[in-house]
Structure formats: structure tokens, C-alpha cells
């Protein structure tokens, strides 16, 4: 039986509901974790009962909680808790100094992990990067991640423990960097990282600690939901246990890893089905899968139609876009068709424009084979899109996930310009063109890969201005692709709720919806992009409970 009286009433507020039928309101009532009603003060006050808690917000703003459609929650939390982190774009010497400090307080023989270093500044590491680390950490194995997380830098102890020698072959889709004599230098790219990553994986206790840290951090940012874009069984266990213990308080969509550049081949379809059945409960939703189609631009592993700029070790005349795809187009079409038929929403990592093409072609093949399943498959990142392909997103019901925050200048921009040139980088993330073509677009931070944090507010502000709202990096990127506040908010709320397959539960403030809210000091429309980028939410509510701050 539906409740007739509210447990909690918020009034005196500027409420932006994101409900097209009623976009603004003054008050809302919550009962049993759901929105009972939203509207004007008089109507909502009539829902008060003897036990109703009342909060006058005195003109503060209320929005639906934000949803990040691409963030590696456990991975990012582990970075904050356990790793040496120099900061995105930090000079190499800062990273080395922090490493030395960690060595001094770490027992010999224990792994030390951290980063980031910059692939486009590879020359800084010298001809023998492993030896550089050896001088700092002679008694510890070390693994340092590159900015985009698609390369790993090991010292000699790390190479030994990973069993990597001159005789170790390059794995398919990856590269062990070698010196002139064929000896490993310590740099592992793409799938070659899988040789070392199992050695530095989190144990269950640390994974559980990371889940708790992540939840609190996301709540402080105003997040009430997210999509984990690359989930293995250990991640599902950690999220599920945190949810069962009442410590998650987030809607989580986990994309089960069918393929990953850092893993050994394809995960069996039967295994994905088993994970979906066993772990999909409570706030953890498992009807999603992940495929990787290419790498990243700074390491020349993203698949582009046109060649990269000339560079040592790369010959533009030999450029072969399809050879750079991690999954051949015909095989990819079969994969997406099979996953679609099995009921999985597929997220495909695609950075280069040829990878985006291949992803769209695979979705088209699935639509031809299966008809319209109603599943809205996602192309993750999608920063570079050939102009004729922009219209295909709407035609195929494909979702463009714009991620990471490359629509305004940041430390990654320099590496992009070095390999792609200014003109191509200026066309990065054509969000305005996608929206005008009728595409559905969602936001993802991709924290901690090429993202210093999971804070959505600079992302929102930068989407509006195409500038760095925090003033760290000058200039604009693709100024003609700036969009308005109303359009941008949809990417963080309604659109992302649909991507979670929870569009009837969250993403807007409407009767019957989960009371997932964020409270701000002032309405967004009164703030400049710089002020939006600096927002610190006053409170976050999940299912009507305050999980951060106070009302």
C-alpha cells in the first residue's frame, strides 16, 4: 500500500527535477525512500503527518543525484589508498621523489605501485627505464602506470617476478619494449601489461576497503550511481558485499569483461551468464558487458582512419587502421550480435575514429540479425568520430559516452596534439554535433584513467564552456561544440539513468522515483562555469537517506 504521508519534506528550495513534464518545483515529499510528490509549497505541506521531518532549504538548490557512466570505482579508490600518486600531468621528478619516499617506509620485497608517467614524454625515462627505477628501488619490485593506464613501467625486480626476459614473446595486441640487444626495458604496452598485473592485484581485504572509500568519495561529489566499465568476478564480489552490508548506497551497473586489453583472451559467455545470475542483486546490476576495440592515441594504439603524425618507430606510410583493431570487424559483429541476443548491453572502448566505425558497424549487424532488442549499446569515449558516422548513432540507437574530460584542455591534451595534430584534437568530442543529430550522449569521468578525480562538476562546467573551469590550463578545445546547461545536465542524470536501465527509478525527481538527490548552495543557472566547476555539494541523499553532508 502506497504511503499517504511523508517521512521527509524539503521545502523553500529551487528544485530542478529533470522531468520534462514538470521541470521546476519548490518542495518535495519523500516516503519510504521514494519521491512521494513534488510541486508547490502548499500541496507538498499537505502531505505532512505527525512523524514527518521538515527541512526549509532557504533557497538552496536540489537536483537529481548525478550518475557517472564510466568510472573504475575500485581501481580509483585503490590508487588513493594504496599507491604512489604524483598527480595527473605531474613532472617525472615528482613521481620519482614520491617513489623514493615510499621506498624508505616499505619493507624490502613488497610491491610498490603508482604513477602516472606520460607516454608522449617517453624520452624522459631514458634508454633503460627499468634501470632508472632500480637506482631508486633496488630491493622492491615497482610498477608505475602511464597516464592513460594503457602502459606499465617496471623495474628489474618487477620484470623478474613477471617472468619477462628477452625470450618472452610479445602477446597479441601488446608490446614488450626492448633495447637494441632485445632485452626488455621495463615498458609494457596494452596486452603485455597482463604479464604483470596479476602480481599487483588487490587482495580481498584491500578490495573491500576500496569499496568503502569509493562510496564515501562518490557521495561527496554528489554521485548516486555509476557504471563500472570493466568488471571481473573479484570486483562483483566486493561491490556485492559492500551493498549487502549497507555501505554502497549507489546504483551500480557493472559491465562484465568479455574482453580486456589487460586480460588473457575472451571470458567465456557461460561465465558472463553465471556472473550476471549470481551477483546481480540489490543495487548491483549485471546485465552489461564490455569489449575493447583499440588502445589510446599517445601510444599509437588507437585505431584511426588517417595516419598519426610521423614519429620515431612509427611510419605513416605503413598505417593500417584495421590492423590496429583488437577485434577484427567480422568477429566484432558476431560478438555484439551474440551479446545482444543474450540480453547484455555492450560497452565498447573505442578511441580512434576507425574503432568507432567498427563499433557502429557491429551494432548495425546485431540489429539486422536480432531486430531491435531494445538494448542501447554504448561506444565508450568516442572522442574522435568521422563526420558521416555522427548521424549513425541516432539511426542505430547507439549511445555515445563522452569520456574522459577531454572536451577542455587538460594534461592529456599535450599528448594528443603530439601524435594527432591540432586540427584533429580540435574535433575531439563533438558533443554538440551528436546532440543536434539526435544521438543520446552520456557522461563518464573514466577515473582514474586519464582523470585526476571523479568530480563531475568540472566536467559539467567544461562541457558548457569547453574551457578548464578550474583555470589550470589555458584556451579552449572545440569551442563550437559547447552546449547549454539544460542539455548538459541530461547527460549526467536522465540519459545516464537510461544507460543504467533504471530510467523508471532514478535520474529525475518525480513521484515514484528513488529519492536520489544532491543539494547545492545556489541554483546552477545563477553560476558561472568557473563557479559550477568549484561546486562542493552540501548534501547527497540516496533513497531518501542523507549519505553525505547535512540538510
Amino acid at each position: 500500500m502506497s504511503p499517504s504521508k511523508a517521512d521527509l519534506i524539503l521545502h523553500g528550495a529551487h528544485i530542478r527535477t529533470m522531468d520534462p513534464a514538470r521541470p521546476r518545483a519548490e518542495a518535495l515529499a519523500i516516503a519510504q525512500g521514494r519521491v512521494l510528490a513534488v510541486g508547490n509549497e502548499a500541496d507538498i505541506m499537505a502531505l505532512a503527518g505527525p512523524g514527518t521531518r521538515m527541512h526549509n532549504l532557504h533557497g538552496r538548490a536540489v537536483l537529481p543525484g548525478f550518475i557517472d557512466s564510466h568510472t573504475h570505482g575500485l581501481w580509483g579508490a585503490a590508487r588513493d589508498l594504496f599507491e604512489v600518486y604524483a598527480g595527473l600531468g605531474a613532472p617525472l621528478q615528482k613521481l620519482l621523489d614520491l617513489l623514493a619516499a615510499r621506498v624508505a617506509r616499505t619493507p624490502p620485497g613488497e610491491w610498490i605501485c603508482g604513477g602516472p608517467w606520460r607516454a608522449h614524454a617517453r624520452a624522459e625515462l631514458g634508454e633503460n627505464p627499468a634501470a632508472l627505477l632500480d637506482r631508486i628501488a633496488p630491493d622492491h619490485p615497482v610498477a608505475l602506470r602511464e597516464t592513460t593506464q594503457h602502459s606499465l613501467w617496471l623495474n628489474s625486480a618487477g620484470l623478474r617476478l613477471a617472468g619477462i626476459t628477452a625470450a618472452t614473446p610479445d602477446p597479441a595486441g601488446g608490446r614488450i619494449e626492448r633495447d637494441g640487444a632485445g632485452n626488455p626495458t621495463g615498458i609494457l604496452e596494452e596486452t603485455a601489461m597482463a604479464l604483470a598485473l596479476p602480481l599487483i592485484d588487490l587482495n580481498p581485504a584491500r578490495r573491500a576497503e576500496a569499496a568503502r572509500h569509493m562510496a564515501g568519495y562518490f557521495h561527496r561529489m554528489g554521485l548516486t550511481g555509476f557504471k563500472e566499465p570493466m568488471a571481473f568476478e573479484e570486483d562483483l564480489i566486493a561491490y556485492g558485499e559492500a551493498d549487502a552490508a549497507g555501505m554502497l548506497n549507489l546504483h551500480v551497473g557493472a559491465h562484465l569483461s568479455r574482453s580486456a586489453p589487460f586480460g588473457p583472451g575472451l571470458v567465456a559467455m557461460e561465465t558472463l551468464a553465471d556472473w550476471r545470475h549470481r551477483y546481480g542483486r540489490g543495487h548491483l546490476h549485471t546485465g552489461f558487458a564490455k569489449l575493447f576495440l583499440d588502445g589510446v592515441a599517445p601510444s599509437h594504439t588507437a585505431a584511426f582512419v588517417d595516419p598519426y603524425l610521423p614519429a620515431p618507430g612509427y611510419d605513416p606510410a605503413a598505417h593500417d587502421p584495421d590492423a590496429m583493431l583488437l577485434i577484427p570487424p567480422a568477429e566484432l559483429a558476431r560478438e555484439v550480435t551474440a551479446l545482444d541476443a543474450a540480453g547484455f548491453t555492450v560497452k565498447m572502448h573505442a578511441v580512434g575514429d576507425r574503432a568507432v566505425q567498427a563499433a557502429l558497424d557491429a551494432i548495425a549487424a546485431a540489429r539486422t540479425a536480432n531486430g531491435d532488442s531494445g538494448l542501447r549499446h554504448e561506444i565508450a569515449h568516442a572522442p574522435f568520430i568521422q563526420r558521416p558516422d555522427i548521424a549513425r548513432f541516432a539511426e542505430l540507437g547507439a549511445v555515445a559516452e563522452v569520456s574522459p574530460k577531454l572536451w577542455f584542455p587538460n594534461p592529456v591534451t599535450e599528448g594528443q596534439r603530439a601524435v594527432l595534430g591540432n586540427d584533429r584534437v580540435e574535433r575531439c568530442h563533438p558533443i554538440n554535433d551528436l546532440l543536434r543529430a539526435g544521438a543520446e550522449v552520456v557522461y563518464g569521468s573514466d577515473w582514474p584513467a586519464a582523470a585526476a578525480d571523479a568530480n563531475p562538476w568540472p566536467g559539467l562546467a567544461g562541457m558548457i564552456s569547453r574551457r578548464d573551469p578550474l583555470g589550470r590550463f589555458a584556451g579552449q578545445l572545440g569551442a563550437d561544440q559547447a552546449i547549454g546547461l539544460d542539455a548538459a545536465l541530461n547527460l549526467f542524470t536522465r540519459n545516464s539513468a537510461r544507460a543504467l536501465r533504471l530510467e523508471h527509478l532514478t535520474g529525475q525527481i518525480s513521484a515514484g522515483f528513488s529519492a536520489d538527490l544532491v543539494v547545492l548552495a545556489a541554483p546552477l543557472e545563477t553560476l558561472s562555469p568557473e563557479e559550477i566547476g568549484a561546486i562542493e555539494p552540501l548534501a547527497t541523499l540516496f533513497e531518501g537517506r542523507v549519505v553525505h553532508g547535512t540538510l
Side-chain angles (χ1 to χ4, degrees):
M1 182 175 175
S2 299
S4 59
K5 295 298 181 181
D7 300 326
L8 171 67
I9 287 177
L10 305 180
H11 62 101
H14 290 278
I15 301 173
R16 186 188 283 259
T17 69
M18 301 307 298
D19 179 357
R22 184 174 210 150
R24 302 300 175 101
E26 301 169 332
L28 68 93
I30 297 169
Q32 298 178 7
R34 299 289 184 104
V35 176
L36 180 61
V38 59
N40 61 49
E41 293 263 350
D43 290 344
I44 299 303
M45 290 300 188
L47 297 173
T52 301
R53 291 172 289 125
M54 312 279 286
H55 284 280
N56 187 336
L57 295 185
H58 300 288
R60 293 172 182 157
V62 179
L63 295 167
F66 277 13
I67 298 168
D68 189 329
S69 291
H70 190 128
T71 187
H72 304 268
L74 295 177
W75 183 6
R79 186 200 72 183
D80 287 354
L81 289 172
F82 310 123
E83 297 187 358
V84 173
Y85 178 59
L88 196 65
L92 177 62
Q93 191 57 52
K94 180 179 179 181
L95 174 60
L96 298 179
D97 290 344
L98 290 173
L99 174 61
R102 182 66 63 91
V103 165
R105 62 179 189 270
T106 303
E110 285 191 13
W111 277 94
I112 299 176
C113 302
W117 53 279
R118 300 170 294 178
H120 69 275
R122 163 64 185 83
E124 293 181 334
L125 311 186
E127 295 183 2
N128 191 342
L132 175 57
L133 295 182
D134 292 345
R135 291 194 289 273
I136 300 170
D139 301 316
H140 300 78
V142 175
L144 302 179
R145 303 178 195 271
E146 183 262 339
T147 302
T148 66
Q149 314 285 316
H150 282 250
S151 297
L152 199 64
W153 175 15
L154 303 181
N155 67 348
S156 296
L159 288 169
R160 282 195 302 272
L161 289 173
I164 299 171
T165 69
T168 305
D170 287 351
R175 184 173 80 101
I176 301 170
E177 186 185 275
R178 305 171 196 271
D179 62 19
N183 296 309
T185 67
I187 304 298
L188 308 179
E189 295 179 356
E190 302 294 350
T191 58
M193 295 170 61
L195 300 171
L197 288 177
L199 301 174
I200 60 175
D201 200 9
L202 297 176
N203 60 37
R206 283 196 162 188
R207 206 175 289 270
E209 185 178 352
R212 293 191 295 271
H213 176 85
M214 172 210 72
Y217 173 53
F218 283 179
H219 294 149
R220 291 196 302 276
M221 299 295 104
L223 295 170
T224 55
F226 75 98
K227 297 187 91 176
E228 165 59 63
M230 188 175 66
F232 291 94
E233 187 170 22
E234 296 84 357
D235 307 308
L236 300 173
I237 291 170
Y239 286 134
E241 290 180 347
D243 189 40
M247 294 184 295
L248 189 62
N249 297 316
L250 294 155
H251 302 291
V252 182
H255 282 270
L256 313 182
S257 292
R258 169 72 166 154
S259 76
F262 324 128
L266 295 175
V267 175
M269 291 286 285
E270 294 80 8
T271 300
L272 296 188
D274 177 58
W275 291 352
R276 174 171 59 182
H277 173 71
R278 283 199 290 136
Y279 299 110
R281 62 178 59 88
H283 297 114
L284 179 58
H285 307 276
T286 52
F288 307 91
K290 178 68 177 288
L291 297 169
F292 275 81
L293 307 193
D294 66 347
V296 291
S299 60
H300 295 87
T301 55
F304 283 92
V305 173
D306 297 320
Y308 291 90
L309 299 181
Y314 169 77
D315 180 7
H319 183 76
D320 183 351
D322 281 12
M324 306 178 83
L325 294 172
L326 296 176
I327 304 175
E331 181 182 340
L332 176 61
R334 291 191 294 270
E335 280 290 328
V336 175
T337 298
L339 289 164
D340 178 80
F344 286 102
T345 298
V346 185
K347 185 189 288 287
M348 289 172 274
H349 169 109
V351 170
D353 51 21
R354 176 63 188 114
V356 172
Q357 278 184 347
L360 291 167
D361 291 345
I363 295 171
R367 300 288 188 238
T368 299
N370 301 335
D372 187 355
S373 64
L375 298 174
R376 300 161 53 260
H377 304 300
E378 302 169 21
I379 302 180
H381 312 307
F384 301 99
I385 307 171
Q386 292 276 309
R387 291 194 184 280
D389 289 323
I390 289 175
R392 298 180 67 200
F393 280 85
E395 292 166 3
L396 294 169
V399 177
E401 177 223 285
V402 290
S403 155
K405 290 179 270 190
L406 286 175
W407 46 79
F408 61 81
N410 66 40
V412 179
T413 308
E414 179 186 354
Q416 299 277 13
R417 291 192 192 279
V419 297
L420 298 174
N422 289 333
D423 290 346
R424 209 166 355 180
V425 171
E426 285 294 323
R427 299 197 301 271
C428 183
H429 281 311
I431 301 173
N432 192 25
D433 287 348
L434 284 163
L435 292 177
R436 287 189 298 183
E440 188 144 319
V441 186
V442 297
Y443 159 84
S445 66
D446 200 17
W447 180 66
D453 54 59
N455 187 351
W457 303 100
L460 172 64
M463 200 178 286
I464 297 166
S465 67
R466 304 288 289 209
R467 296 182 182 275
D468 176 10
L470 302 183
R472 299 159 300 184
F473 300 90
Q476 277 184 299
L477 271 181
D480 63 323
Q481 295 303 315
I483 61 175
L485 175 62
D486 289 343
L489 283 171
N490 274 317
L491 276 65
F492 294 75
T493 55
R494 286 169 53 87
N495 291 6
S496 290
R498 275 170 52 82
L500 267 174
R501 293 159 66 165
L502 296 177
E503 63 267 32
H504 302 300
L505 178 66
T506 191
Q508 65 184 56
I509 303 173
S510 302
F513 277 63
S514 181
D516 307 327
L517 315 171
V518 59
V519 180
L520 309 177
L524 291 176
E525 60 270 20
T526 68
L527 304 178
S528 68
E530 291 73 23
E531 290 169 326
I532 292 174
I535 280 175
E536 295 182 5
L538 301 177
T540 304
L541 284 72
F542 181 75
E543 295 180 341
R545 291 176 288 109
V546 177
V547 292
H548 162 68
T550 57
L551 293 173

